[in-house]
Amino acid sequence: MNQGMRLTGRAALLAASALASVVVLGPIIWALSTSLKSDNHIFAVPPRLIPDEPTLMHFQRLVAEGVQWSFLNSAFYTVVSVAFAVAVGGTAGYALVRYPVPAKRALLVLFMGVMSIPSYALLLPTQVIFVRLGIFDTRLALPILYAAHVIPFAVWMTRAHFATVPRELEQAALVDGYSRFEAVWKVIIPGARPALIAAAAFGFLYAWNDYITATTMVESPDLRTLPVALIFFQGFHGRDWGALMAGVVIATLPPIVLFLVYRRYLIGGFSEGSVKG
Amino acid sequence: MTPAAVRASRQPDDIPQDAILQGEIQGMNVHSQDIASRAVGQSARSVRFVDVAKRFGSVAAVADVNLTIAPGQFVTLLGPSGCGKSTTLSMIAGLELPSQGHIYIGDRDVTTVPPADRDIAMVFQSYALYPHLTIFENIAFPLRAKRRRTTETEVTRKVTDAARMLGLDKLLARFPREISGGQRQRVALGRAMVRTPTIYLLDEPLSNLDQQLRVQMRSELKDLHQRLGATMLYVTHDQGEAMTLSDIIAVMSAGRIEQVGAPRELYDRPANLFVARFLGEPGMNILNGDIGDGRLRGQGVAIALPPTVKAGPGGLCAGIRPEDLVLCPIPEAELTGVVRTVEFLGSRCLMRADIGDTLVTAFLPAEVTTQPGETVGLKASYPGRTRWFDVASGLAVGH
Amino acid sequence: MVSVPASGTTPFTRSIEDAARAGRRVGTTLVGPAVLVVIAVNILPAFFGFYSSLRKIFFFGDEGFAGLDNFRSLFADPLTWEAIGRSLIFTFGALALAVPLALLAALAVRELGARGRILLTILLVPWAMSPIVVALLWKWILLPSPGGLFASILATFGMPPANLLSNPTWAMPTVIAVAVWRTFAFAAIILTAGLGQIPKDLYKAAAVDGLTAMERFSRITVPLLAPSILIVLSMLTISYFNEVQVIIGLTSGGPIHSTTTLAYQLYLTGFVELDQGRGNAIAVVMFLINLVLIVGYVQLLGNKKGGEG
């Protein structure tokens, strides 16, 4: 009887998990399906999941509107800010573990505290400052803000990791004839890959997916990010759902692929952080 | 090359000058014979500490160390944990900056020179093998440093030579996590050997191995030292390792060097009470009492003072090694007390007896039938082996 | 014969003081850039925001000191209080939905073993998406015309299409549901990690002691998971209280202000109406509410940890 109950429980669990997966993935798959249907099939009743005559016309439509430039802008801002944030944050995380730094505790509190300040509440004063400094509506505005948001996370994730690397490892490299920089590059960085990847993936998701910073700090059409361009497109062609869903697909594909490839590091980074407090 | 010689000096106010001189001469005598037949490696260098101290905040980890190590010697820094021996080693390696003083390798002042420019090799307690590199690459790592500019054929030759010497030939393609503790230990040694450094620094390299392997690696290390003729500086808290491996031992305690000398010299003639108690398992029995009538007298203690020993104002105490004590009739006894335990060790027995309020240990023949609770008399089997110390300063007197 | 110089330093050697100073400088140099960027971009604007909230600033033009005028007019406006109320409804409504879902997901992930990792990965996919893109996507799903996915599902149950997003009663729950759809699995990561910390032996012991599955859950899982639940609560509270992108994308605060939270009000006042003095006053109010929430959770979390340690 106990055995039977366990089997029923197992079946219920699998069924519930399957249902949850459908609720979670269904809308995304539906968007993909819509983006591949021609206009006269989009509103078909009853709805069909598999497009009858798949077409790329909506994607072509987006290209005709120049959305690919916004895609490239997003990619540029993301890559620049993530590279900068991981380099600067990782360096700081390393120094906080290995070097005597004045006011170390205060700096840790600073990085930790900044992580819990909602960046959204700072956008308005930042906008005013950027206008006065002439950074508003330039290519610099978004990389600076994205990097500044990601740096504390990068510090935190890499610091926790560097602390677990035995000091002797780099001491051995120093004795073996390498400079401090070479020792870090050849011995510490290879071991720190998980933390660096977690920080970089987190930064990518943050920067690529942002809308509110981009829409408030950049105005020129040729500086727009992909999410901003999609919202503008919606404003002009609100009923062109095929093209809008093509935009959703384009905007979603990079972060989902990245997430699937690096999920281990991302999940690991966040679960370690929470368990260690 | 002349035979290696040891020079050790201390601050004059720490220890009587004549005691040091005697220690040096003894150390030289013992060792000139051992070392005479051994070739000193071409690249071996001396190491010299001049007034070196290291403070962490207000804590003195190492205080006023003066020590000279001759090329080709195997020197051990021996002491309890936290005595500053590892810090001393780190300062030679350049991993720690001294707070004062100078460190010379050969003729060169290396006090502030980066580790990479010192041409030393170090074996760490944790081995510090690079987890992302194969055994081959681990051993080759020092050769791949830019400053060494080794050709690929040379790297292969040197790594395979070292691997063959250490019995690692078949493991070169593996990663550190795939080999045993003893093998990792050898890889760490191999990584040190490939570049023929001027000095080997070994920081408790055997302490992570199990007992059997430790004894085996100990003799391999000794063998290696003989073959390489290199200067080796070894740090350990294990006096067995120190005794068996070293030409010279420097005993450290609380950041200071207590005594420097050949193992036998330290064991037979400890310069002070710390060394007397620290060396030997168990350490020297120290017996207290008052001087009167040419004797040291205390509860259960009556030991005649040799003519060379003069009592100072601080009072004296006597030191006798457990193996130097024998049972004797109570009237002849130097020590009289009640047996607490007798442990049978196979080849002999270890007896513990309360002499007054001192617990005295003695190694006795295996046949003894003494029982706990019995009152026994003990005396030194050979009176000349009893050591005398000034109670106030803790320093040895009279020899 | 090795000769050793009698005393003194070889020329061209650095002194110990110089070397020590250089060592200290390296640390500062390496931490410096990160600290500077964080202070310049995160701390200075916060102070500038406080300063601006006390001034009359409109369309980037500073028209002078305004004292507490911005706050006075803000709190005199009933819409502000309504927005605060809606922020709380949004925040705690989303929490009430997300935390139980995350807990269920975490339990399922644990029960499923190796397949649990796949489930967690699937559930996390929306978290990798942009909030504004998620809003766009759900707008299409919820479209109240015959071809819409939601309308079609309703139709199979014989119900007419419902326009959730333009219905003042249903708009808020819908926005909450979409926000939770995107983020609940993130909370499941932390709860899964927390569950993993509970020793399996405890469950065996409890089973031997005769506790039912329900009792095991309430007496072992919940108390031992409490620290993780508190972490989740604090992270999600801050994230939901400041959520604005999903609202911009789905409803733009409507219909009839029914989804205008304080966060959206800040967007409207500061970025659309460009009343930056008043906008900063809202930001200050939001900052203070955030602070109260964070301090509250830290207190709760600290007590919990102290009690167990």
Side-chain angles (χ1 to χ4, degrees):
Chain A
M1 185 206 145
N2 209 337
Q3 198 75 12
M5 263 174 69
R6 190 167 295 168
L7 274 176
T8 340
R10 189 96 191 146
L13 181 64
L14 283 173
S17 304
L19 181 68
S21 306
V22 167
V23 171
V24 163
L25 294 185
I28 302 169
I29 293 166
W30 184 243
L32 179 65
S33 163
T34 303
S35 72
L36 296 172
K37 289 175 186 167
S38 61
D39 279 330
N40 43 351
H41 285 99
I42 282 180
F43 288 98
V45 181
R48 304 179 66 106
L49 186 60
I50 311 292
D52 284 334
E53 299 151 26
T55 167
L56 291 176
M57 60 177 281
H58 300 300
F59 293 91
Q60 285 154 354
R61 173 87 205 278
L62 289 179
V63 170
E65 294 273 333
V67 168
Q68 73 275 23
W69 300 115
S70 306
F71 183 97
L72 288 178
N73 282 338
S74 272
F76 169 78
Y77 297 141
T78 302
V79 169
V80 169
S81 58
V82 167
F84 181 73
V86 171
V88 167
T91 310
Y94 174 75
L96 285 171
V97 170
R98 283 289 187 266
Y99 280 97
V101 173
K104 195 177 269 193
R105 279 202 68 82
L107 290 181
L108 289 176
V109 170
L110 171 77
F111 286 123
M112 200 47 187
V114 164
M115 277 197 278
S116 49
I117 298 179
S119 54
Y120 172 59
L122 295 176
L123 279 183
L124 193 52
T126 304
Q127 192 190 45
V128 177
I129 293 173
F130 273 23
V131 166
R132 291 193 188 168
L133 293 179
I135 302 173
F136 180 77
D137 200 26
T138 66
R139 271 195 196 284
L140 266 183
L142 295 179
I144 290 177
L145 294 176
Y146 294 155
H149 182 87
V150 176
I151 283 173
F153 283 90
V155 171
W156 206 249
M157 284 172 166
T158 55
R159 197 193 77 100
H161 182 86
F162 287 133
T164 65
V165 178
R167 188 176 275 256
E168 284 86 27
L169 225 49
E170 56 191 293
Q171 291 185 333
L174 292 180
V175 169
D176 282 346
Y178 292 84
S179 70
R180 189 96 193 193
F181 177 77
E182 289 170 322
V184 169
W185 187 252
K186 300 210 163 184
V187 175
I188 303 303
I189 299 285
R193 269 189 66 221
L196 295 174
I197 290 175
F202 168 80
F204 182 97
L205 293 184
Y206 175 79
W208 181 270
N209 288 337
D210 166 77
Y211 167 74
I212 190 71
T213 313
T215 193
T216 53
M217 296 297 158
V218 163
E219 274 180 341
S220 315
D222 36 337
L223 297 183
R224 265 178 209 152
T225 66
L226 185 54
V228 175
L230 286 183
I231 295 303
F232 266 94
F233 185 86
Q234 186 203 21
F236 290 116
H237 316 279
R239 285 166 211 291
D240 192 349
W241 289 106
L244 280 170
M245 288 309 111
V248 166
V249 169
I250 292 173
T252 301
L253 217 52
I256 287 189
V257 167
L258 179 104
F259 164 72
L260 290 178
V261 171
Y262 294 117
R263 63 187 183 283
R264 231 163 20 98
Y265 303 100
L266 266 170
I267 294 174
F270 279 104
S271 36
E272 259 173 50
S274 70
V275 168
K276 284 178 191 151
Chain B
M1 280 272 181
T2 57
V6 186
R7 289 188 52 87
S9 61
R10 294 274 311 243
Q11 298 299 79
D13 44 326
D14 273 345
I15 192 167
Q17 204 59 43
D18 54 348
I20 307 172
L21 277 173
Q22 214 165 0
E24 280 175 8
I25 292 159
Q26 284 288 342
M28 246 165 82
N29 286 345
V30 172
H31 270 275
S32 46
Q33 284 149 8
D34 287 12
I35 301 168
S37 58
R38 188 167 80 209
V40 173
Q42 287 299 310
S43 60
R45 291 276 179 283
S46 66
V47 177
R48 194 162 66 102
F49 282 78
V50 180
D51 297 331
V52 172
K54 174 68 182 176
R55 288 176 289 273
F56 294 105
S58 60
V59 184
V62 172
D64 295 327
V65 166
N66 285 281
L67 178 69
T68 302
I69 294 159
Q73 260 182 342
F74 195 115
V75 175
T76 299
L77 300 176
L78 173 67
S81 62
C83 71
K85 55 192 191 298
S86 286
T87 307
T88 306
L89 202 67
S90 294
M91 288 192 285
I92 305 176
L95 300 171
E96 296 272 9
L97 196 61
S99 306
Q100 66 172 65
H102 291 280
I103 299 170
Y104 298 88
I105 292 178
D107 299 349
R108 182 171 168 229
D109 184 342
V110 296
T111 315
T112 57
V113 171
D117 298 332
R118 296 190 181 204
D119 201 14
I120 38 145
M122 188 157 175
V123 175
F124 293 84
Q125 183 172 3
S126 60
Y127 316 140
L129 303 186
Y130 309 116
H132 61 294
L133 299 179
T134 60
I135 301 309
F136 183 95
E137 284 302 324
N138 260 283
I139 298 177
F141 196 73
L143 300 174
R144 299 213 190 277
K146 277 196 210 93
R147 68 192 73 233
R148 292 218 171 73
R149 268 194 222 142
T150 320
T151 64
E152 204 49 39
T153 29
E154 224 175 318
V155 170
T156 313
R157 185 180 57 77
K158 286 188 170 174
V159 172
T160 39
D161 279 358
R164 196 170 312 121
M165 196 163 168
L166 294 164
L168 294 168
D169 340 28
K170 297 200 170 59
L171 303 173
L172 288 173
R174 298 211 198 158
F175 284 92
R177 61 175 175 280
E178 299 167 341
I179 62 176
S180 72
Q183 291 165 337
R184 280 179 210 168
Q185 221 290 305
R186 285 192 202 126
V187 175
L189 275 173
R191 191 170 68 188
M193 279 161 50
V194 274
R195 17 146 336 173
T196 40
T198 56
I199 296 160
Y200 287 78
L201 306 176
L202 304 125
D203 189 1
E204 308 233 10
L206 305 183
S207 63
N208 284 348
L209 301 177
D210 62 41
Q211 181 58 31
Q212 206 183 344
L213 208 52
R214 202 181 306 174
V215 173
Q216 184 197 334
M217 285 308 297
R218 198 159 77 182
S219 51
E220 285 185 24
L221 253 181
K222 177 127 196 162
D223 187 43
L224 201 65
H225 178 236
Q226 311 261 342
R227 270 190 283 168
L228 298 172
T231 311
M232 289 193 175
L233 227 87
Y234 190 93
V235 160
T236 185
H237 63 270
D238 181 328
Q239 48 175 295
E241 281 171 24
M243 292 280 189
T244 48
L245 285 169
S246 316
D247 298 327
I248 299 295
I249 296 176
V251 179
M252 288 189 77
S253 146
R256 294 182 175 276
I257 292 187
E258 296 287 344
Q259 191 177 3
V260 182
R264 184 176 298 277
E265 162 67 14
L266 297 192
Y267 190 79
D268 288 347
R269 297 180 182 279
N272 55 44
L273 282 172
F274 177 83
V275 178
R277 288 203 181 97
F278 185 73
L279 286 186
E281 290 168 291
M284 198 177 252
N285 294 304
I286 304 297
L287 297 144
N288 290 293
D290 302 317
I291 303 297
D293 201 7
R295 284 163 181 273
L296 177 76
R297 290 179 174 283
Q299 227 189 333
V301 178
I303 308 171
L305 257 64
T308 52
V309 174
K310 296 282 176 286
L316 290 175
C317 55
I320 310 176
R321 292 255 170 233
E323 62 272 24
D324 290 338
L325 283 169
V326 289
L327 286 172
C328 66
I330 287 169
E332 306 170 19
E334 291 178 322
L335 309 174
T336 316
V338 180
V339 176
R340 194 189 280 189
T341 58
V342 180
E343 291 169 11
F344 177 62
L345 301 176
S347 61
R348 53 189 179 169
C349 285
L350 176 65
M351 185 188 78
R352 288 194 183 82
D354 289 300
I355 310 291
D357 42 19
T358 311
L359 186 64
V360 164
T361 55
F363 285 115
L364 301 176
E367 312 80 62
V368 292
T369 53
T370 315
Q371 295 296 316
E374 223 175 284
T375 300
V376 291
L378 292 163
K379 64 173 185 181
S381 56
Y382 173 59
R385 294 186 64 82
T386 302
R387 299 286 138 220
W388 295 87
F389 300 92
D390 184 81
V391 173
S393 66
L395 296 177
V397 291
H399 56 86
Chain C
M1 191 74 193
V2 173
S3 66
V4 173
S7 71
T9 14
T10 337
F12 311 117
T13 321
R14 283 193 301 177
S15 77
I16 290 173
E17 288 73 27
D18 287 348
R21 209 171 301 123
R24 279 196 296 275
R25 252 199 321 261
V26 174
T28 315
T29 314
L30 294 182
V31 178
V35 174
L36 286 182
V37 173
V38 164
I39 288 179
V41 183
N42 293 307
I43 305 293
L44 292 185
F47 285 105
F48 186 68
F50 274 104
Y51 167 81
S52 304
S53 70
L54 302 175
R55 303 187 71 85
K56 190 167 161 54
I57 307 179
F58 199 79
F59 207 82
F60 303 102
D62 193 335
E63 295 165 21
F65 186 68
L68 293 174
D69 281 358
N70 287 324
F71 291 95
R72 234 173 263 133
S73 78
L74 191 65
F75 288 123
D77 188 344
L79 283 179
T80 308
W81 294 101
E82 283 173 31
I84 291 177
R86 280 187 219 106
S87 276
L88 294 176
I89 291 174
F90 181 90
T91 305
F92 290 102
L95 280 178
L97 194 55
V99 174
L101 280 178
L103 186 55
L104 282 177
L107 288 171
V109 166
R110 184 178 66 174
E111 289 305 313
L112 285 173
R115 264 176 290 183
R117 301 192 68 80
I118 301 174
L119 176 66
L120 186 60
T121 303
I122 290 174
L123 298 185
L124 272 168
V125 167
W127 173 66
M129 294 176 71
S130 161
I132 198 85
V133 170
V134 164
L136 211 54
L137 164 63
W138 276 94
K139 237 177 153 166
W140 164 233
I141 305 279
L142 296 172
L143 194 74
S145 70
L149 187 62
F150 182 65
S152 307
I153 293 170
L154 286 182
T156 55
F157 293 102
M159 291 195 279
N163 195 348
L164 295 180
L165 290 174
S166 46
N167 176 324
T169 317
W170 282 102
M172 181 61 104
T174 308
V175 173
I176 290 175
V178 172
V180 168
W181 178 82
R182 193 182 83 84
T183 46
F184 82 97
F186 173 69
I189 298 182
I190 289 159
L191 294 181
T192 305
L195 283 179
Q197 297 289 101
I198 301 177
K200 290 243 180 340
D201 286 353
L202 283 182
Y203 291 98
K204 289 182 193 154
V208 171
D209 291 345
L211 273 74
T212 65
M214 242 354 260
E215 286 171 326
R216 289 201 290 266
F217 178 75
S218 62
R219 303 238 182 115
I220 298 174
T221 310
V222 171
L224 289 181
L225 204 55
S228 303
I229 293 178
L230 278 170
I231 292 175
V232 162
L233 278 176
S234 54
M235 291 176 93
L236 286 187
T237 302
I238 294 164
S239 131
Y240 288 144
F241 190 81
N242 298 284
E243 177 61 70
V244 70
Q245 308 190 78
V246 168
I247 298 174
I248 293 176
L250 279 175
T251 61
S252 301
I256 338 168
H257 299 307
S258 64
T259 53
T260 300
T261 60
L262 202 56
Y264 187 76
Q265 188 67 54
L266 167 59
Y267 174 73
L268 210 59
T269 310
F271 295 111
V272 179
E273 295 164 1
L274 294 176
D275 187 346
Q276 283 127 351
R278 185 175 169 138
N280 271 308
I282 299 177
V284 168
V285 172
M286 283 189 64
F287 184 79
L288 291 179
I289 296 177
N290 273 314
L291 198 69
V292 169
L293 292 173
I294 292 169
V295 169
Y297 282 121
V298 167
Q299 288 279 318
L300 221 53
L301 210 66
N303 287 345
K304 199 75 203 171
K305 276 193 177 156
E308 279 169 9

